[in-house]
Amino acid sequence: MAGEEEENTNVAEVAYARLVSHFSHHHRTTNDNTREDDQVVARMHSLSQVLEEFTGPVERRTIGVRSVVCIAKKLIERGGDEENNVEKRHFGYSILQRLLLSKTKTSKSEEEELFMKNEFTNIISNELRLTSRDGAKVPYPLKSKVAQITAEFIKREGSTAWIAFSETIARMLRSADAYECELGAIIARYVAEDVALHSDEVFADKVRDLLGGMTQTIGEVTGAMREAWERHFSNNNVAAPEMQKASENCALAVLEAISVYAEWAPLVPLVRSGLVDICCVALLSNINESACRAPAASAIKHVLARKPLPEDVPQDDRAVVFMAISSCVRAVATHLDVVLAQEYIALDNADAYEQCAELACQAASVQVLHTLSRGEQHQQHQHQQQLELVVALLERLAMLVRIPNLRSLETVLGAWTALLRANGATVPKKGHATTTSSMAPPSSSSPSTSASLKVLPPGAVPALLDYCVAWLRAGGGLAGGMDPAGTHIANEREQWEDTFETFEELKTQWIINRAKVMEVIKLCANLDPQSASRKLLETVDGALEWLKSVSTSADGGEDSGDEGKACILEGVQAFTECIMLVLPIEEPQASSVVIEIENLVTKALAMTDQSSQSGGIRLGPQSLAQYAKILECFGRIGLVRPNLAPLLVKNLFDWLGTVAAEDVSAPPVRGKARVKRTQLARQKICSAMLNICATVPEALNPHLEPLAEQVESLRSTGNLTGAERGTLAEALLAVATPSGPERVIQVLDWLLAPVKSRWYSVETGAVLPLVANLTTPEAFMAQEQQQQQLSNVHWDLFHDVQLLERCMRRCLPGSSAQAAQKVVQEAPGEQQQQQQQSVCLILEHVEWAILLATEMHRLVRQIYTPGLQSQMVSSNLAESLQPSWEEYAASLKPGKLKEFALEQAENQNATQLKVVSVRDWLRVLRDASLNIINLVLLHASEMTYSNPSIAGKMQTVIATDLEAQRDDQVRTMVLLFVRPVLSRCPAQFRQIWFQALVAPILPDLCRRVEAGWTIAGANKATLSTPGTTTNEALDTSSDVSTYATLVAEAYSERTLREISRELGSILELIVAPDGTLGRRTKSASTSDTEKDAVAGGKHLIDWMCSQSDVQVAQIAIQAGTLALKIDDLETVSKAILFCRGLVAAASAQDPRIGEGLAESCGGEIVLAAVAALSKSLNSSLQAELLSLIYEVLTKHARTTQSVPHAMLCIPGITESVLMNTLEEISKCRSEKKATGLVKNLLLSIPGEELKILATGDNKKTISAIQIPTNSKRRQSDGGNASEPVKSSWTENEVHAGFQLFQ
């Protein structure tokens, strides 16, 4: 024994001498910064290795625990060179902290465990005494480390340690010495954070034990905190300057501790201790206000966010808590006055406004206001005071809306949304004419007031509408990147930009805020339609007068510019859209408002009438597009004024005739580099007509023929592009809908007859050879005189295919059936009603549409075969077969790579128009063909699903040239075609269609997924080896090829995950065809899908038996186990469902499959499930994975050889252990307990592979007091005491090694 101790001492001395050399010799080279940085990095790496040797897993340690503790004690000794001593002590504290944080046992015997406990008790007691004694001499990082070690020790030892140390902490808090008091407050805060916040290191039972101990001492600790604050807060004004700073830091530390306690401590003792009052005082104090107010505000937010007290709480306690909440709200209101009195300057006080907004929103939450407005109602005087307080708070909250800070606006609007909804406001769905609002004046007898909060101050809704209109005006055009130069909003826009680093960040934030602003407007309009209608009339009329004034000015409005006008009009349009959607114009009480809106619309139409004597207002392409959208918003007026709808559409047609049509055969504009303003304006005008026709089709139905003649006139004269023709075709179908199915069929035939005659031969019953001739590399390069563009015939096919798809989609049963049903109900006789309901609107177009779509899809796929690919390469069109840079950018997060991809997209769109055109042409034809086939199956499901020949054609569509397609193309096919067709397939035809569609796609998907994840694993292993990381490559390289490679890798990774999920979806459809494709819906739940999957494995057995090739069923089994091993949570969850179906099918004893299924898949499922359990990514699926293993063991462990063999292949599981576990499982009546036995069996496996089982899924704890859900975790290397979140202790002050030990 003595020899062993001597050996440990020698090892410790050698290790200590090696460590001291790191802190004694810095090897500074002032003339060579590069060498100095290299030396710092080398030191940090060396110290990291030492730390791992001392405190890593037990099996990898090179020195015993006693020696490690001995070395740490030597390192933390005081004395010597100050700079080296600080860094050395910090490293020693880090060793002690890591020992306490170790998840595995740090010693091998109870004797060593007792040694650890005694040593740490002595170390902590000594360090607390010395740190308090040294006071200002101790840097904050060391003081923080002492507090952290104390907290970790208490967490390790449990409630007994806390109760023992609480007396010491309380004594330190009551100390007159500010430094000792500050240390006590820091410890109290860290203990509360580490104990109350559940983490992986603390199990539920230990959390419950520690929290129980903390509640026992809550009175003593909180009382000591109050005394500490009172003593040192009062010393701020009377003490010497150096002691005043110490007292400020002490008071701040106390507030930070209170903030943590306010999150979890029982509310009644917390309030009775007076700590809540302290926070209210601190919020309004001027002492160190920038640092002091933050923890005070945090504590108040936590108190206000607490759940209401249970009903069994005594009335005295309820009254105390109620008064505390009132005090908090009153302090917040006063604090708001102080902040709002300051001038907002984005670069100076933006953070203060944002923090204030968060606090105000918490104080104005529905729960708090409900408590204040309905509490203590037996005392009328106090109740009235509380209502006045609520009104005062909401008035200030409304004033926060006008502060030009986009980040605080998001928070404030979220609070107002909740408040307006609590007061009875709702937002109707788009297209629904009826709302819950009323134009009648608000009264106490309103049916919605009984359940509403009723706390809005008078004039709140009009004020909110004013502020929201101002925001929409100021942000007009920002989402589209338009420049408001020359308008009155330009200066305000510049102030917004000051708070964001890039314009993209500003744009993203504004898009979020704009949606919230529009929601608030809708809620306000629903709550107070009269105020909303007045504001609407005022806003639109003001915009019209402004346009008139700038158009008649000497410069014709050139100062504002067309883009500036468009910015102003976009804000007006957004406000008009919100109000008109909600305004109850169909109510009798709205007649006066309707008249005013009618006059306003008439005025707007007259001002843009180019045939009038005044010539109308002057609008450019961009402003004209926004003006058209404003008229579109007024389309709902046609519900009560049918005469206005034709006037709106006529006006839009007139505008369409005045804007020149450029490149009629060109594709629709998209992408910044190809946007032509006139073409974009024409598309907006056509979209406005479509939406008006879809909103009020009854008003326009009598004018169907004139509308059709107008469309034909524009088309025949070459004034209508292909995209515009598709939009107007949808408008005509919408207008024809009220006339019934026969009229819709007539319009459909008129629209599609030219398409059919151009590409299909009625005589031969086949697609014309012209389609095949267009889809060749030679045809793409045939236009020698126009090398940068495809031929007009190419674009004719492009637009005709889109027209066919749009017409079919517009005529779907869900869109036209409602209007047709209305007509049918008015007709006499049930026979006519049944006849009308069964009409297929596209019956005459089914055959040629399917033939054209299948032929196009085949031809597009053929381009990607090796033979034609080589021709595309020789034609310099190889890039057109790759994903576009826009597609690459969509798969990237904001950053350098995304910026690079977007830049490359703009360059390619400008310089390689031929490549871009060919790529877009191929993509649209490929996707549109799949959509057309899918739509045909939707329209004529009874005719198509029952036809085996159609199923055979669809199998050919999938299988043709499948291997030559890119991964993302295969994923698109599964998403757009395979999954929708299979999910809608009637039960009696499932065998036909599942065999036709699954048989070709499943092996291909399995091959792609397996190969992709193999490559991804190899790349990950390469990246984990020492070398240049991705970020380093971006920082050090400006080579375009490096960026392009990284972009392509990111896109491949995303595509791999997507096709993996599609594989999981196919497996899910096989085992549960009546499920929801993995999506939660109102009509079906996940539990329903699981029941469908494991219901004897019926669907899976039926599918296997329907396969003509047994190998397909074997591939499905392999795919299920493969999907379990993939590093993607969604894929694994679907694979679990499939494997459960496999287990159920193997247990069904169905004579069609025999007894070999369990033998072939049971062992593989077990091994795959265990592999999935070892990944932290699947921690949320632990219960499902354990349940899967349990089902395999209980059903097949004794009847097969593969299952026990697979279990015995797992290290640490012996035959006796397995048999004992199976025996115990057989005796369990509870599946939960049996699953627990499986978990315990797996936990006995040595090593770190399954350690996630111990902690991964225990995130919820049960406790008698509220557990916090969020908290600011401390930096373990310390920081400035006045800024607890951001550490200001730099590497120059304490050496680089500090940042390593966190």
Side-chain angles (χ1 to χ4, degrees), residues 1047-1070:
V1047 169
E1049 289 176 355
Y1051 183 78
S1052 299
E1053 181 182 351
R1054 175 177 175 176
T1055 304
L1056 177 60
R1057 291 189 181 278
E1058 289 175 341
I1059 62 170
S1060 300
R1061 293 169 184 175
E1062 297 304 331
L1063 174 62
S1065 298
I1066 295 295
L1067 295 176
E1068 184 180 6
L1069 276 171
I1070 292 173

mmCIF file of all heavy atoms in Angstrom, residues 1047-1070:
data_model
loop_
_atom_site.group_PDB
_atom_site.id
_atom_site.type_symbol
_atom_site.label_atom_id
_atom_site.label_comp_id
_atom_site.label_asym_id
_atom_site.label_seq_id
_atom_site.Cartn_x
_atom_site.Cartn_y
_atom_site.Cartn_z
ATOM 1 N N VAL A 1047 -20.388 24.054 -52.697
ATOM 2 C CA VAL A 1047 -21.821 24.226 -52.968
ATOM 3 C C VAL A 1047 -22.428 22.924 -53.469
ATOM 4 O O VAL A 1047 -23.516 22.515 -53.031
ATOM 5 C CB VAL A 1047 -22.035 25.357 -53.993
ATOM 6 C CG1 VAL A 1047 -23.473 25.368 -54.495
ATOM 7 C CG2 VAL A 1047 -21.707 26.708 -53.367
ATOM 8 N N ALA A 1048 -21.742 22.266 -54.385
ATOM 9 C CA ALA A 1048 -22.251 21.004 -54.923
ATOM 10 C C ALA A 1048 -22.346 19.936 -53.839
ATOM 11 O O ALA A 1048 -23.306 19.151 -53.806
ATOM 12 C CB ALA A 1048 -21.349 20.522 -56.065
ATOM 13 N N GLU A 1049 -21.379 19.910 -52.920
ATOM 14 C CA GLU A 1049 -21.429 18.934 -51.823
ATOM 15 C C GLU A 1049 -22.616 19.204 -50.904
ATOM 16 O O GLU A 1049 -23.298 18.271 -50.463
ATOM 17 C CB GLU A 1049 -20.122 18.979 -51.040
ATOM 18 C CG GLU A 1049 -18.928 18.412 -51.802
ATOM 19 C CD GLU A 1049 -17.632 18.569 -51.020
ATOM 20 O OE1 GLU A 1049 -17.673 19.196 -49.934
ATOM 21 O OE2 GLU A 1049 -16.591 18.062 -51.490
ATOM 22 N N ALA A 1050 -22.868 20.469 -50.606
ATOM 23 C CA ALA A 1050 -24.008 20.804 -49.751
ATOM 24 C C ALA A 1050 -25.318 20.414 -50.422
ATOM 25 O O ALA A 1050 -26.237 19.891 -49.768
ATOM 26 C CB ALA A 1050 -23.999 22.302 -49.429
ATOM 27 N N TYR A 1051 -25.416 20.649 -51.705
ATOM 28 C CA TYR A 1051 -26.637 20.284 -52.432
ATOM 29 C C TYR A 1051 -26.810 18.768 -52.470
ATOM 30 O O TYR A 1051 -27.923 18.247 -52.293
ATOM 31 C CB TYR A 1051 -26.578 20.843 -53.845
ATOM 32 C CG TYR A 1051 -27.815 20.580 -54.661
ATOM 33 C CD1 TYR A 1051 -28.970 21.333 -54.475
ATOM 34 C CD2 TYR A 1051 -27.833 19.579 -55.624
ATOM 35 C CE1 TYR A 1051 -30.102 21.089 -55.224
ATOM 36 C CE2 TYR A 1051 -28.960 19.334 -56.385
ATOM 37 C CZ TYR A 1051 -30.094 20.099 -56.182
ATOM 38 O OH TYR A 1051 -31.222 19.850 -56.927
ATOM 39 N N SER A 1052 -25.721 18.045 -52.667
ATOM 40 C CA SER A 1052 -25.797 16.581 -52.695
ATOM 41 C C SER A 1052 -26.236 16.023 -51.351
ATOM 42 O O SER A 1052 -27.022 15.065 -51.286
ATOM 43 C CB SER A 1052 -24.434 16.000 -53.087
ATOM 44 O OG SER A 1052 -24.051 16.426 -54.368
ATOM 45 N N GLU A 1053 -25.740 16.633 -50.279
ATOM 46 C CA GLU A 1053 -26.134 16.171 -48.943
ATOM 47 C C GLU A 1053 -27.629 16.385 -48.704
ATOM 48 O O GLU A 1053 -28.320 15.509 -48.191
ATOM 49 C CB GLU A 1053 -25.328 16.912 -47.881
ATOM 50 C CG GLU A 1053 -25.674 16.472 -46.464
ATOM 51 C CD GLU A 1053 -24.905 17.247 -45.407
ATOM 52 O OE1 GLU A 1053 -23.978 17.999 -45.789
ATOM 53 O OE2 GLU A 1053 -25.236 17.104 -44.227
ATOM 54 N N ARG A 1054 -28.123 17.558 -49.103
ATOM 55 C CA ARG A 1054 -29.553 17.808 -48.928
ATOM 56 C C ARG A 1054 -30.379 16.853 -49.788
ATOM 57 O O ARG A 1054 -31.387 16.304 -49.331
ATOM 58 C CB ARG A 1054 -29.868 19.247 -49.302
ATOM 59 C CG ARG A 1054 -31.357 19.555 -49.252
ATOM 60 C CD ARG A 1054 -31.667 20.987 -49.558
ATOM 61 N NE ARG A 1054 -33.104 21.204 -49.611
ATOM 62 C CZ ARG A 1054 -33.670 22.393 -49.781
ATOM 63 N NH1 ARG A 1054 -32.933 23.463 -49.905
ATOM 64 N NH2 ARG A 1054 -34.975 22.505 -49.832
ATOM 65 N N THR A 1055 -29.966 16.644 -51.034
ATOM 66 C CA THR A 1055 -30.694 15.731 -51.917
ATOM 67 C C THR A 1055 -30.681 14.317 -51.361
ATOM 68 O O THR A 1055 -31.686 13.590 -51.443
ATOM 69 C CB THR A 1055 -30.074 15.763 -53.320
ATOM 70 O OG1 THR A 1055 -30.066 17.099 -53.809
ATOM 71 C CG2 THR A 1055 -30.870 14.890 -54.271
ATOM 72 N N LEU A 1056 -29.546 13.908 -50.788
ATOM 73 C CA LEU A 1056 -29.456 12.575 -50.202
ATOM 74 C C LEU A 1056 -30.465 12.406 -49.072
ATOM 75 O O LEU A 1056 -31.132 11.367 -48.959
ATOM 76 C CB LEU A 1056 -28.026 12.329 -49.707
ATOM 77 C CG LEU A 1056 -27.775 11.002 -48.989
ATOM 78 C CD1 LEU A 1056 -28.082 9.831 -49.907
ATOM 79 C CD2 LEU A 1056 -26.330 10.937 -48.500
ATOM 80 N N ARG A 1057 -30.587 13.418 -48.229
ATOM 81 C CA ARG A 1057 -31.567 13.335 -47.148
ATOM 82 C C ARG A 1057 -32.992 13.279 -47.707
ATOM 83 O O ARG A 1057 -33.855 12.577 -47.178
ATOM 84 C CB ARG A 1057 -31.416 14.525 -46.211
ATOM 85 C CG ARG A 1057 -30.144 14.500 -45.402
ATOM 86 C CD ARG A 1057 -30.097 15.569 -44.332
ATOM 87 N NE ARG A 1057 -28.845 15.516 -43.600
ATOM 88 C CZ ARG A 1057 -28.594 14.665 -42.590
ATOM 89 N NH1 ARG A 1057 -29.537 13.830 -42.210
ATOM 90 N NH2 ARG A 1057 -27.432 14.668 -41.982
ATOM 91 N N GLU A 1058 -33.231 14.029 -48.761
ATOM 92 C CA GLU A 1058 -34.579 14.059 -49.327
ATOM 93 C C GLU A 1058 -34.966 12.720 -49.944
ATOM 94 O O GLU A 1058 -36.088 12.241 -49.747
ATOM 95 C CB GLU A 1058 -34.677 15.183 -50.355
ATOM 96 C CG GLU A 1058 -34.670 16.574 -49.724
ATOM 97 C CD GLU A 1058 -34.646 17.672 -50.764
ATOM 98 O OE1 GLU A 1058 -34.281 17.376 -51.924
ATOM 99 O OE2 GLU A 1058 -34.978 18.819 -50.424
ATOM 100 N N ILE A 1059 -34.047 12.103 -50.706
ATOM 101 C CA ILE A 1059 -34.408 10.812 -51.296
ATOM 102 C C ILE A 1059 -34.471 9.727 -50.217
ATOM 103 O O ILE A 1059 -35.230 8.759 -50.354
ATOM 104 C CB ILE A 1059 -33.426 10.417 -52.418
ATOM 105 C CG1 ILE A 1059 -32.006 10.240 -51.891
ATOM 106 C CG2 ILE A 1059 -33.464 11.409 -53.551
ATOM 107 C CD1 ILE A 1059 -31.062 9.620 -52.915
ATOM 108 N N SER A 1060 -33.715 9.883 -49.140
ATOM 109 C CA SER A 1060 -33.830 8.944 -48.017
ATOM 110 C C SER A 1060 -35.224 9.030 -47.403
ATOM 111 O O SER A 1060 -35.842 8.011 -47.075
ATOM 112 C CB SER A 1060 -32.766 9.243 -46.966
ATOM 113 O OG SER A 1060 -31.468 9.132 -47.498
ATOM 114 N N ARG A 1061 -35.730 10.238 -47.253
ATOM 115 C CA ARG A 1061 -37.074 10.409 -46.706
ATOM 116 C C ARG A 1061 -38.136 9.898 -47.670
ATOM 117 O O ARG A 1061 -39.175 9.374 -47.243
ATOM 118 C CB ARG A 1061 -37.302 11.879 -46.377
ATOM 119 C CG ARG A 1061 -36.422 12.361 -45.238
ATOM 120 C CD ARG A 1061 -36.435 13.867 -45.074
ATOM 121 N NE ARG A 1061 -35.502 14.280 -44.028
ATOM 122 C CZ ARG A 1061 -35.233 15.538 -43.719
ATOM 123 N NH1 ARG A 1061 -35.826 16.524 -44.376
ATOM 124 N NH2 ARG A 1061 -34.382 15.828 -42.755
ATOM 125 N N GLU A 1062 -37.880 10.048 -48.972
ATOM 126 C CA GLU A 1062 -38.826 9.494 -49.935
ATOM 127 C C GLU A 1062 -38.837 7.970 -49.862
ATOM 128 O O GLU A 1062 -39.889 7.338 -49.997
ATOM 129 C CB GLU A 1062 -38.475 9.961 -51.348
ATOM 130 C CG GLU A 1062 -38.570 11.456 -51.567
ATOM 131 C CD GLU A 1062 -39.936 12.007 -51.230
ATOM 132 O OE1 GLU A 1062 -40.939 11.269 -51.345
ATOM 133 O OE2 GLU A 1062 -40.015 13.178 -50.827
ATOM 134 N N LEU A 1063 -37.670 7.366 -49.670
ATOM 135 C CA LEU A 1063 -37.619 5.913 -49.475
ATOM 136 C C LEU A 1063 -38.430 5.514 -48.249
ATOM 137 O O LEU A 1063 -39.213 4.548 -48.288
ATOM 138 C CB LEU A 1063 -36.166 5.464 -49.321
ATOM 139 C CG LEU A 1063 -35.939 3.980 -48.964
ATOM 140 C CD1 LEU A 1063 -36.478 3.082 -50.064
ATOM 141 C CD2 LEU A 1063 -34.459 3.700 -48.723
ATOM 142 N N GLY A 1064 -38.264 6.274 -47.159
ATOM 143 C CA GLY A 1064 -39.066 5.999 -45.973
ATOM 144 C C GLY A 1064 -40.554 6.161 -46.229
ATOM 145 O O GLY A 1064 -41.375 5.386 -45.708
ATOM 146 N N SER A 1065 -40.935 7.137 -47.039
ATOM 147 C CA SER A 1065 -42.351 7.351 -47.345
ATOM 148 C C SER A 1065 -42.916 6.194 -48.158
ATOM 149 O O SER A 1065 -44.065 5.778 -47.951
ATOM 150 C CB SER A 1065 -42.528 8.669 -48.109
ATOM 151 O OG SER A 1065 -42.116 9.766 -47.331
ATOM 152 N N ILE A 1066 -42.133 5.685 -49.118
ATOM 153 C CA ILE A 1066 -42.591 4.532 -49.896
ATOM 154 C C ILE A 1066 -42.788 3.322 -48.979
ATOM 155 O O ILE A 1066 -43.794 2.601 -49.073
ATOM 156 C CB ILE A 1066 -41.582 4.206 -51.015
ATOM 157 C CG1 ILE A 1066 -41.519 5.351 -52.025
ATOM 158 C CG2 ILE A 1066 -41.951 2.904 -51.705
ATOM 159 C CD1 ILE A 1066 -42.780 5.580 -52.796
ATOM 160 N N LEU A 1067 -41.841 3.087 -48.089
ATOM 161 C CA LEU A 1067 -41.982 1.977 -47.140
ATOM 162 C C LEU A 1067 -43.207 2.167 -46.250
ATOM 163 O O LEU A 1067 -43.931 1.202 -45.952
ATOM 164 C CB LEU A 1067 -40.715 1.870 -46.281
ATOM 165 C CG LEU A 1067 -39.423 1.496 -47.011
ATOM 166 C CD1 LEU A 1067 -38.246 1.539 -46.049
ATOM 167 C CD2 LEU A 1067 -39.546 0.126 -47.658
ATOM 168 N N GLU A 1068 -43.442 3.399 -45.849
ATOM 169 C CA GLU A 1068 -44.610 3.671 -45.011
ATOM 170 C C GLU A 1068 -45.900 3.407 -45.772
ATOM 171 O O GLU A 1068 -46.868 2.887 -45.224
ATOM 172 C CB GLU A 1068 -44.557 5.116 -44.521
ATOM 173 C CG GLU A 1068 -45.683 5.480 -43.570
ATOM 174 C CD GLU A 1068 -45.601 6.919 -43.097
ATOM 175 O OE1 GLU A 1068 -44.731 7.649 -43.600
ATOM 176 O OE2 GLU A 1068 -46.410 7.294 -42.232
ATOM 177 N N LEU A 1069 -45.939 3.764 -47.052
ATOM 178 C CA LEU A 1069 -47.125 3.513 -47.862
ATOM 179 C C LEU A 1069 -47.364 2.017 -48.052
ATOM 180 O O LEU A 1069 -48.512 1.567 -48.105
ATOM 181 C CB LEU A 1069 -46.975 4.187 -49.222
ATOM 182 C CG LEU A 1069 -47.361 5.669 -49.282
ATOM 183 C CD1 LEU A 1069 -46.949 6.263 -50.619
ATOM 184 C CD2 LEU A 1069 -48.851 5.840 -49.069
ATOM 185 N N ILE A 1070 -46.287 1.249 -48.153
ATOM 186 C CA ILE A 1070 -46.447 -0.198 -48.318
ATOM 187 C C ILE A 1070 -47.087 -0.805 -47.087
ATOM 188 O O ILE A 1070 -48.017 -1.619 -47.180
ATOM 189 C CB ILE A 1070 -45.073 -0.851 -48.587
ATOM 190 C CG1 ILE A 1070 -44.551 -0.421 -49.958
ATOM 191 C CG2 ILE A 1070 -45.171 -2.369 -48.509
ATOM 192 C CD1 ILE A 1070 -43.129 -0.880 -50.233
#
